[in-house]
Amino acid sequence: MAQSIPLADLQAQYQVIGEEIDAAIRRVISKSSFILGPEVANFEQAFAAYCGAEHCAGVSSGTAALELALRAMGVGTGDEVITVAHTFIATAEAISAVGATPVFVDVDPHSYNLAPEAFAEAINARTRAVMPVHLYGQPADMTRINRIAREHGIRVIEDAAQAHGATWQGRRAGVLGDAACFSFYPGKNLGAYGDAGAVVTNQAEIVEQVRLLRNHGRRAKYLHEQIGFGERLDALQAAILGAKLPHLDDWIEARNRLAARYTSLLADLELELPQVAEEARHAWHLYVVRTPRRDEMLEHLHQHGIGAGVHYPIPLHLQPAYAELGYRKGDLPMTETVADTCLSLPLYPEMTEEQQDRVVQCIAEFVGQPERAA
Ligand SMILES: *Cc1c(COP(=O)(O)O)cnc(C)c1O
């Protein structure tokens, strides 16, 4: 059988930039400076500049970034934060962790991102913030979301965990709201070699507060101004991220080229292909198609050694963890349809056209098959 094709391939990336990574790791170890210090500060500066933002605070994960950004804005008990159910659970967990309540609204049928009109309808006196997710690497409709939020005095926190380098009207994820939260989980478009994350913002009060909270509420060594957390960005991870950052634009370019190629090769098949909004440059963290025969197609691809995935099969409003919020099946129809039909195809910058052709051929074989009797 031909070599299998993974959903993403971190080995292939290391084969290209391994020496730069190894040098960065050796530099940190030779100085024994593992906590905060210049490695973290340098990466923060570089990543803020990359996003076109004033400030960046490195933290221990994307989840920590979301939680600390909410805390830095004073969101807490009794508050509601509007977000989507079609996302990774960390989006909502961060809201719950600060004592607030996530309010799930439906997604747009084209982008699968937060539907601005659904957001507007869900606003009440308790609403403190909205947390749009730039899912799969495409920014949500930030023009309309920001307009609605401004009208109601609501804070906007981007969950940009999948959207490093994506733009909306020419501005990068990171400067599209009050604050943006990034994950550098290894498989993300910019990935560390472990857990890492960052809060990016143009507002000095927010970044200052995140810096305090991530480091036990202290400015001086044993003077604690607030009760904080141990959620710092590790210096080793910062050095690795700093070595990778100069490559990010090339990787996003490669992802765009491969995504465009998927779209043209799959155009005639009976599949719902991803749509990109006119205002957006997609970062293509994932290339997601939809088909009512999703589970069968997934099985077919796996049988042929192709690592397709599902992001995400159970929307958050129907997760056992959120049962107490009282949502029911049918509450978020578009979200539920997407969850039942979405399928993520292999996509990573080093993917060859030959590999991509095999994925397409395998899908074409499947779509050509008659539907199995239920
Ligand atoms: C990965 C991810 C997170 C969480 O990031 P971690 O670094 O794994 O904590 C949050 N939101 C979304 C949309 C993600 O994809």
Side-chain angles (χ1 to χ4, degrees), residues 21-36:
I21 299 286
D22 293 355
I25 292 172
R26 274 197 304 272
R27 186 178 70 233
V28 176
I29 293 173
S30 73
K31 291 181 186 152
S32 290
S33 173
F34 299 112
I35 305 297
L36 296 177

Side-chain angles (χ1 to χ4, degrees), residues 61-63 66 87-88 90-91 133 159 161-162 183-185 188 196 312:
S61 70
T63 308
L66 292 164
T87 179
F88 182 59
T91 311
V133 181
D159 182 340
Q162 303 188 2
S183 165
F184 305 118
Y185 183 85
K188 300 287 160 83
Y312 297 90

Side-chain angles (χ1 to χ4, degrees), residues 306-345:
I306 291 168
V310 175
H311 304 88
Y312 297 90
I314 305 172
L316 301 186
H317 70 297
L318 302 178
Q319 290 285 356
Y322 279 116
E324 66 169 38
L325 295 181
Y327 291 92
R328 296 232 143 65
K329 210 171 162 72
D331 284 347
L332 303 175
M334 192 62 216
T335 294
E336 292 165 29
T337 301
V338 177
D340 287 342
T341 55
C342 65
L343 181 71
S344 312
L345 304 183

Side-chain angles (χ1 to χ4, degrees), residues 229-254:
F229 304 86
E231 302 277 25
R232 298 170 299 232
L233 171 63
D234 192 288
L236 262 175
Q237 301 302 344
I240 290 164
L241 290 165
K244 284 189 171 196
L245 184 58
H247 298 282
L248 181 57
D249 276 338
D250 287 345
W251 292 335
I252 290 170
E253 185 65 39

Side-chain angles (χ1 to χ4, degrees), residues 11 43 92 115 125 338 348 364:
Q11 280 297 326
F43 173 70
V338 177
Y348 46 92

